Amino acid sequence: MRHGIIAWAHALLAITWATSSEGMNAETMSDWRNDVKSMFYHGFDNYMLHAFPEDEIRPVSCRPLTRDQYHPENIGLNDVLGNISLTLIDSLSTLAILASDPSDNRALQKFQSGVEALIEQYGDGTASIRGYGLRGQGFDVDSKVQVFETTIRGVGGLLSAHLFAVGLLPIRGYASIKEDAIVDGLKFPGTFDYQITWPTGWKYNGQLLRLAQDLAERLLPAFYSPTGIPYPRVNLRYGIPFYSNSPLNQDGQYGQCGAGGPEITETCSAGAGSLVLEFATLSRLTGDPRFETVAKRAFFAVWGHRSTIGLVGSGIDAESGVWTTPFTGIGAGIDSFYEYALKSHILLSGLDTPTGNPPKSRMDPNQLFAPLEDISDADFFNVWNYSHTAVKRNLYTDIPHPHYINVHLNTGSPHIFWIDSLSAYYPGLLALAGELEEATTTHLLYTALWTRYSALPERWSTHTGSIEGGLSWWGGRPELSESNYYLYQATKDPWYLHVGTMIVSDIKRRCWTRCGFSGLQDVRSGELNDRMESFFLGETTKYLFLLFDPDHPLNNVDSSFVFTTEGHPLVIPRSKEKGKFESKREKTEQVYNPTCPVPPYPVPFSISAIAMRGDIFHAAHFARLHLIPNTYKVESPLVGPSQDQPSISVADLQSPSNHTYFPWTLPIHLLPSNGHSSRLRQKKTFDIQFPLPQGTAVGQKAVRINEGILINSLAGLGLGLIRDEVVAAGDGGFKEIFRIRSMGNVPLGRDERVFIPRSLVDVQDPSFTKTRDLAMVDLILDMSEKLESTKSGPDGQQSQDFRQLLNTIMSQLPFMSNNTGDRSIFEPIKNNIQMIQAAIPVGLGAIPPPDEEDKHTVLRKRIFLTEQACSPLPADAARFEVIVMKRGGCSFSAKLASVPITRNPTPLVIIVSYEDDGARPLLDEVQISPKGLVRRFQVPMLMAGGGEQTYQALSRTNSIGVRRRYQIQSSGVLVSNLIVI
């Protein structure tokens, strides 16, 4: 009997897990898939009927939407609409994806007829008579457009449709040519010896690829900038006559300068750095390396201007490379830069850099610059990892629920407290990168906000819990649907399917019009804006359809394909011939070797691990969902579909819960019967307010320096502290570590340090207790222009030199200001001092570092550099004051044994570590000389991290000083970022 019970329990558990893996039955999935297809066709068919060949349709008034030719300054419209039939181009890849649905016999026909209609308007991209269409030859139109938008929508849409047309991207049941034939066709760039005959008798032979090249060629003038960062706009017919400082317009023969006022040269990091996927694909398919090269140069030009804490800004000047805004985040202006760092790695993985010669053409911006270093996929991967680390360190906060703030570009101090709808892409990017827990928690907040507003407002204030600055519209953006799709692919948790049903239901309920789906001008009132942007059909419906089609070929393909930031799938065929693509250097070693985490398992006898999370209510509380009444305004009749209205049911309008659980479409059976909420996250804080003695003048209390803040006076100063971490204590317990997060009303970045002169602390002040740091010291490097080598003078003189060196840190520095418009606050401050943390060794052979700060400050100027020093150094190394070695090859004790015998004073040995493990050197043996004798005068050692960068800095410095570090306790707790000097 007992065995029977066990067998029954196992069977029931197996049924539970099977239900968990499915989550939503096939029939229900099919119903939602059909709903999404109906949405797409309603918008697409009306566009083709009422607006094609113009760019967009006004879905309320059923009229075309075109450029605002009477108001050229209307860049919100004119940047995107270039008179190139944008909605059709953006929709072709969605049609190709819908064509894999066995129940749909319309999509492939509409895809092929759409391609034919496009070629009829713009020609087939050749120089023959067939290259002319009804609108001219290619995209030869007098339209001033944004480079970024035209690339991601136009070039990307054409390339993706081409890849589907030739079969490099899958369409179930579509007869195409084999990949080998396409790769062979790439031997002759610009020629296509293949063709595919469609049912109408029309032959496809690469027309879309040639049109993509035609459009990209018209964007190349924008890359004629002094920095390699493209100008933000270009005229598709006339180039860039409006940028008078462009090198292209300094050409006496071909200069394009024309009349007109000054043109804005500010672009954004996303706009300049999000071109690699499209341009690299174009170069690989045509054999023309110009496009990939300019896109890579632009990406790394932006990256080269990152701040010292690893962040890129939102606005940058294409001519000077100067950041034009003081703050940064993950949303508007920055978003797809991070996206393309990771996705460029994926798309280019396993491929070498093309080395072919560009075609003979006057238009090649690469001629302005030295040849670009061979950039591999690993370089992009390293940028992504470096960027994600910087974002997680400076922008991420988990109070009260994980989200990202906007911070000061150079300091990381909190700057603006809102999140925008564009930033909803980031959880999907994290899921793609394998950062599943971070992706899951941050996605919860965006889903809660959608539940509250039935859309995502453009900006939402994290401080007030309401819409920020009146930016209340939702234009049909895809970012939440995109992240939701990636997270479902990573976890297969049915909770994400019901997020999708909520999005579909809300769009049908609020945005349906007679001629399409309109964006919302105000998510609160439901006012429509009479515009259906091309990305609604190109992205939003695409991700929703793929969410409900787990068997779609794209959801199961095993290749390095990616979705661009416009949602267009791209893939590069792998060449089978050696010599086609050749690498100029060895592959960059990838520092990071992450593994994809296993998705969380549902709690036994439950279905959704997400619905069971203890922090579900945290996101709901942060979005103020618990304060929203569970009532819906009926905005449309409860009737079936017809020509004039969509299908609306009671299930589209009512939530089964009171919004504590979300999305509002979540069925009751997914709610845990014994669910509970974990405690809301909070961190301890306290303030210190120093008195202002009567009669004391109120002066400048602090100045901002490269490393943080230097306090001049404590009189009247207020400090705000927050608990940063809890670490294990030596007695088996735990100790709390705090950091200063604000001074007065000025917030500080997470890694900004506060420097306080010892004279202010040595006074008997009950607020502070000073203790020496026994693990770390600071190396002070003088990086000014190289001086002639001099011998060390008397200690007193050197002590004076060292104090002057420290004073240099404080000189020529701007005063601290709360005015964010002060350029000096957010521009990098250039001085000649560099500080590097160094670890003090432990073990039998360890001696304390020089007690220089308390006695005689020695400024070491004679520096000897060597490699790993595992064998005796030359005798003349004893004449130097500092010996720099690289970590590895032998033990730390063996390295000290290589130092020649010297009398006091002994040289200081600095080990440079290439491993970021935070270790302290272990000297487990007493110090001996190269001859094996115990040293009479022992040698001090320190170890600095930073690898080659630190090694090169030590090779260039004029002198090195050592400064002891002190830890400060306040109210009995350790303050990590308060340093005594």
Side-chain angles (χ1 to χ4, degrees):
M1 182 66 180
R2 182 183 179 191
H3 291 290
I5 294 176
I6 294 175
W8 173 84
H10 280 228
L12 180 59
L13 191 60
I15 293 173
T16 302
W17 285 114
T19 305
S20 169
S21 65
E22 295 173 6
M24 184 181 288
N25 62 47
E27 182 180 358
T28 305
M29 296 271 274
S30 178
D31 289 343
W32 284 107
R33 196 160 59 242
N34 289 332
D35 268 6
V36 177
K37 285 195 298 182
S38 297
M39 287 170 51
F40 173 84
Y41 286 134
H42 180 62
F44 179 78
D45 291 346
N46 275 287
Y47 162 74
M48 294 300 291
L49 178 64
H50 297 291
F52 180 77
E54 304 302 337
D55 285 313
E56 291 181 357
I57 186 173
R58 291 190 179 275
V60 176
S61 53
C62 298
R63 296 183 293 111
L65 179 62
T66 60
R67 293 175 59 80
D68 189 350
Q69 57 181 332
Y70 300 108
H71 299 90
E73 71 281 1
N74 184 4
I75 58 177
L77 201 64
N78 294 334
D79 272 359
V80 176
L81 306 185
N83 287 337
I84 60 173
S85 306
L86 192 62
T87 295
L88 175 58
I89 294 175
D90 230 356
S91 301
L92 287 175
S93 63
T94 306
L95 280 167
I97 287 172
L98 297 183
S100 284
D101 188 341
S103 65
D104 189 343
N105 56 9
R106 297 176 294 170
L108 183 58
Q109 182 273 328
K110 288 179 181 291
F111 170 77
Q112 293 173 341
S113 63
V115 172
E116 294 177 30
L118 195 68
I119 304 309
E120 183 181 19
Q121 295 292 325
Y122 302 99
D124 69 353
T126 65
S128 68
I129 190 64
R130 293 188 302 275
Y132 288 83
L134 298 179
R135 287 196 157 193
Q137 186 178 26
F139 298 105
D140 181 24
V141 290
D142 184 8
S143 298
K144 182 180 176 183
V145 296
Q146 192 186 80
V147 174
F148 169 64
E149 292 289 356
T150 306
T151 298
I152 64 172
R153 301 196 199 197
V155 178
L158 291 166
L159 287 172
S160 185
H162 165 75
L163 292 168
F164 277 111
V166 299
L168 285 175
L169 288 172
I171 300 177
R172 186 181 284 121
Y174 174 62
S176 62
I177 58 179
K178 296 181 179 179
E179 179 178 339
D180 289 348
I182 301 173
V183 172
D184 290 341
L186 296 179
K187 295 177 186 176
F188 309 101
T191 65
F192 304 91
D193 54 0
Y194 59 83
Q195 63 181 16
I196 304 170
T197 303
W198 288 347
T200 59
W202 197 83
K203 293 179 172 56
Y204 183 79
N205 65 355
Q207 292 93 330
L208 294 175
L209 178 59
R210 293 193 291 273
L211 285 179
Q213 185 168 9
D214 173 85
L215 185 56
E217 288 263 9
R218 298 177 186 279
L219 302 178
L220 283 180
F223 291 85
Y224 279 87
S225 76
T227 61
I229 299 172
Y231 287 107
R233 295 172 182 87
V234 65
N235 187 290
L236 295 179
R237 175 175 292 168
Y238 299 112
I240 54 168
F242 30 79
Y243 294 119
S244 58
N245 293 329
S246 167
L248 183 63
N249 294 328
Q250 309 303 313
D251 190 314
Q253 182 178 0
Y254 299 110
Q256 295 181 305
C257 275
E263 182 73 17
I264 296 174
T265 58
E266 176 190 359
T267 187
C268 61
S269 298
S274 305
L275 311 171
V276 176
L277 298 181
E278 292 83 0
F279 276 23
T281 302
L282 180 60
S283 284
R284 301 305 178 108
L285 293 177
T286 62
D288 185 345
R290 289 179 298 162
F291 307 103
E292 182 173 344
T293 304
V294 296
K296 285 180 174 178
R297 178 176 286 110
F299 179 92
F300 283 98
V302 172
W303 179 242
H305 288 89
R306 66 190 180 278
S307 70
T308 55
I309 57 176
L311 298 175
V312 296
S314 59
I316 190 169
D317 186 81
E319 292 186 342
S320 66
V322 173
W323 296 113
T324 57
T325 51
F327 64 89
T328 186
I330 61 167
I334 308 162
D335 49 0
S336 53
F337 179 87
Y338 296 136
E339 180 183 2
Y340 274 43
L342 177 61
K343 291 184 176 179
S344 294
H345 159 65
I346 296 172
L347 182 70
L348 300 175
S349 61
L351 294 174
D352 294 326
T353 302
T355 58
N357 294 321
K360 293 182 179 179
S361 169
R362 178 176 59 83
M363 194 59 63
D364 185 6
N366 298 299
Q367 296 175 355
L368 295 175
F369 305 94
L372 192 65
E373 181 185 1
D374 186 17
I375 295 172
S376 73
D377 64 291
D379 296 307
F380 287 101
F381 191 53
N382 290 334
V383 171
W384 157 251
N385 280 288
Y386 192 100
S387 298
H388 174 242
T389 300
V391 167
K392 186 73 177 289
R393 179 73 181 171
N394 296 287
L395 277 66
Y396 176 88
T397 176
D398 60 358
I399 305 297
H401 179 81
H403 66 287
Y404 304 93
I405 60 175
N406 297 278
V407 303
H408 204 281
L409 177 62
N410 284 309
T411 67
S413 58
H415 194 78
I416 300 174
F417 296 92
W418 47 254
I419 59 178
D420 60 20
S421 62
L422 280 170
S423 63
Y425 82 99
Y426 199 66
L429 187 63
L430 291 171
L432 187 63
E435 304 289 342
L436 203 51
E437 177 61 20
E438 184 183 351
T440 301
T441 56
T442 53
H443 176 267
L444 288 175
L445 177 59
Y446 295 106
T447 306
L449 286 174
W450 182 288
T451 305
R452 174 177 174 180
Y453 293 105
S454 295
L456 275 185
E458 187 69 8
R459 282 186 189 172
W460 182 78
S461 171
T462 58
H463 266 189
T464 66
S466 58
I467 289 172
E468 170 77 15
L471 303 181
S472 58
W473 61 83
W474 178 72
R477 290 195 187 279
E479 284 74 20
L480 179 59
S481 300
E482 174 187 358
S483 284
N484 193 66
Y485 162 75
Y486 278 114
L487 277 162
Y488 179 69
Q489 288 298 110
T491 65
K492 300 301 181 184
D493 193 299
W495 190 86
Y496 296 108
L497 295 175
H498 294 287
V499 175
T501 65
M502 173 181 68
I503 295 173
V504 172
S505 299
D506 285 336
I507 292 174
K508 287 167 51 183
R509 180 170 58 87
R510 309 192 75 196
C511 303
W512 187 94
T513 70
R514 188 163 58 90
C515 291
F517 288 87
S518 173
L520 298 171
Q521 188 62 32
D522 192 321
V523 298
R524 297 163 296 190
S525 67
E527 177 189 356
L528 302 177
N529 65 9
D530 198 15
R531 183 177 182 186
M532 185 177 73
E533 294 220 41
S534 66
F535 53 65
F536 178 76
L537 300 180
E539 294 186 79
T540 306
T541 56
K542 179 181 295 164
Y543 286 121
L544 290 171
F545 177 83
L546 288 171
L547 174 69
F548 296 115
D549 191 358
D551 297 325
H552 193 281
L554 275 184
N555 286 333
N556 298 281
V557 67
D558 184 17
S559 67
S560 298
F561 92 94
V562 295
F563 289 100
T564 70
T565 194
E566 189 67 12
H568 294 302
L570 293 179
V571 69
I572 294 176
R574 269 46 183 170
S575 175
K576 307 253 187 324
E577 281 196 17
K578 293 184 178 180
K580 172 61 186 167
F581 299 124
E582 297 178 356
S583 179
K584 298 177 184 176
R585 65 178 171 92
E586 295 295 324
K587 290 280 185 182
T588 302
E589 181 181 355
Q590 296 185 12
V591 178
Y592 304 90
N593 295 290
T595 58
C596 289
V598 176
Y601 288 106
V603 176
F605 300 102
S606 70
I607 296 177
S608 170
I610 304 301
M612 288 289 295
R613 288 181 66 98
D615 58 354
I616 282 280
F617 180 73
H618 298 185
H621 178 269
F622 193 19
R624 280 67 167 181
L625 275 183
H626 61 299
L627 303 179
I628 306 301
N630 185 22
T631 60
Y632 269 88
K633 175 183 176 183
V634 178
E635 299 173 350
S636 54
L638 304 180
V639 295
S642 70
Q643 182 178 357
D644 296 327
Q645 60 209 9
S647 170
I648 298 294
S649 66
V650 175
D652 289 329
L653 302 176
Q654 295 182 345
S655 168
S657 74
N658 66 349
H659 293 312
T660 299
Y661 285 92
F662 57 92
W664 64 261
T665 53
L666 193 68
I668 294 295
H669 73 268
L670 287 187
L671 302 182
S673 59
N674 60 343
H676 67 279
S677 174
S678 57
R679 295 182 60 183
L680 285 170
R681 295 181 179 90
Q682 293 179 333
K683 286 189 176 181
K684 291 183 180 179
T685 62
F686 68 92
D687 297 325
I688 300 175
Q689 183 65 49
F690 293 93
L692 181 64
Q694 187 174 2
T696 303
V698 179
Q700 192 71 44
K701 300 180 180 63
V703 294
R704 187 181 293 281
I705 62 176
N706 255 1
E707 298 289 332
I709 307 296
L710 172 66
I711 295 178
N712 292 328
S713 170
L714 295 176
L717 183 66
L719 301 177
L721 289 90
I722 186 171
R723 190 181 72 179
D724 208 29
E725 56 183 330
V726 178
V727 299
D731 58 2
F734 296 91
K735 62 179 179 180
E736 297 178 320
I737 298 180
F738 282 68
R739 64 178 171 87
I740 299 174
R741 66 170 178 174
S742 64
M743 298 183 62
N745 62 345
V746 180
L748 302 186
R750 183 170 181 177
D751 291 319
E752 279 197 283
R753 295 184 287 182
V754 178
F755 298 94
I756 183 169
R758 187 189 305 173
S759 59
L760 297 181
V761 180
D762 283 344
V763 177
Q764 295 300 317
D765 193 313
S767 299
F768 294 131
T769 303
K770 183 181 70 170
T771 58
R772 175 176 286 181
D773 189 336
L774 301 179
M776 304 294 291
V777 297
D778 284 327
L779 299 177
I780 310 296
L781 277 59
D782 177 11
M783 305 301 293
S784 58
E785 293 185 8
K786 204 70 174 178
L787 305 175
E788 292 184 5
S789 178
T790 57
K791 293 184 178 181
S792 300
D795 288 345
Q797 179 62 41
Q798 290 187 7
S799 180
Q800 181 178 356
D801 291 344
F802 187 73
R803 286 193 293 271
Q804 292 175 353
L805 179 60
L806 286 177
N807 289 336
T808 305
I809 304 176
M810 316 309 171
S811 65
Q812 302 176 350
L813 298 173
F815 282 102
M816 187 174 176
S817 170
N818 298 333
N819 179 11
T820 57
D822 184 353
R823 294 289 293 274
S824 64
I825 296 303
F826 60 85
E827 284 184 350
I829 303 172
K830 296 180 173 59
N831 59 39
N832 300 322
I833 302 303
Q834 182 173 345
M835 289 191 289
I836 300 175
Q837 296 183 22
I840 301 171
V842 295
L844 290 175
I847 65 170
D851 217 3
E852 296 173 351
E853 193 171 351
D854 294 335
K855 295 182 180 179
H856 300 296
T857 301
V858 179
L859 193 61
R860 294 173 168 84
K861 298 183 179 180
R862 297 194 303 274
I863 303 167
F864 180 86
L865 285 95
T866 183
E867 293 297 317
Q868 294 180 337
C870 292
S871 57
L873 297 176
D876 62 350
R879 299 187 297 105
F880 291 84
E881 298 166 299
V882 178
I883 299 177
V884 179
M885 307 174 181
K886 294 182 179 179
R887 182 180 179 181
C890 56
S891 68
F892 293 108
S893 295
K895 292 179 183 294
L896 284 186
S898 71
V899 178
I901 296 177
T902 61
R903 295 190 176 186
N904 202 23
T906 56
L908 170 65
V909 171
I910 298 177
I911 306 295
V912 177
S913 176
Y914 287 69
E915 302 175 23
D916 187 18
D917 56 7
R920 296 173 64 182
L922 173 61
L923 297 174
D924 52 357
E925 302 174 1
V926 296
Q927 291 192 23
I928 59 175
S929 69
K931 295 183 178 180
L933 302 177
V934 176
R935 287 186 183 272
R936 179 181 176 187
F937 300 107
Q938 297 194 336
V939 178
M941 171 188 283
L942 298 171
M943 185 169 74
E948 191 62 25
Q949 185 176 359
T950 297
Y951 190 81
Q952 293 300 323
L954 292 170
S955 70
R956 295 192 304 268
T957 185
N958 291 317
S959 56
I960 299 175
V962 178
R963 186 185 65 191
R964 295 304 299 259
R965 296 164 60 93
Y966 291 87
Q967 295 178 337
I968 301 296
Q969 288 189 342
S970 179
S971 302
V973 299
L974 184 65
V975 183
S976 62
N977 63 336
L978 185 59
I979 297 175
V980 177
I981 60 173

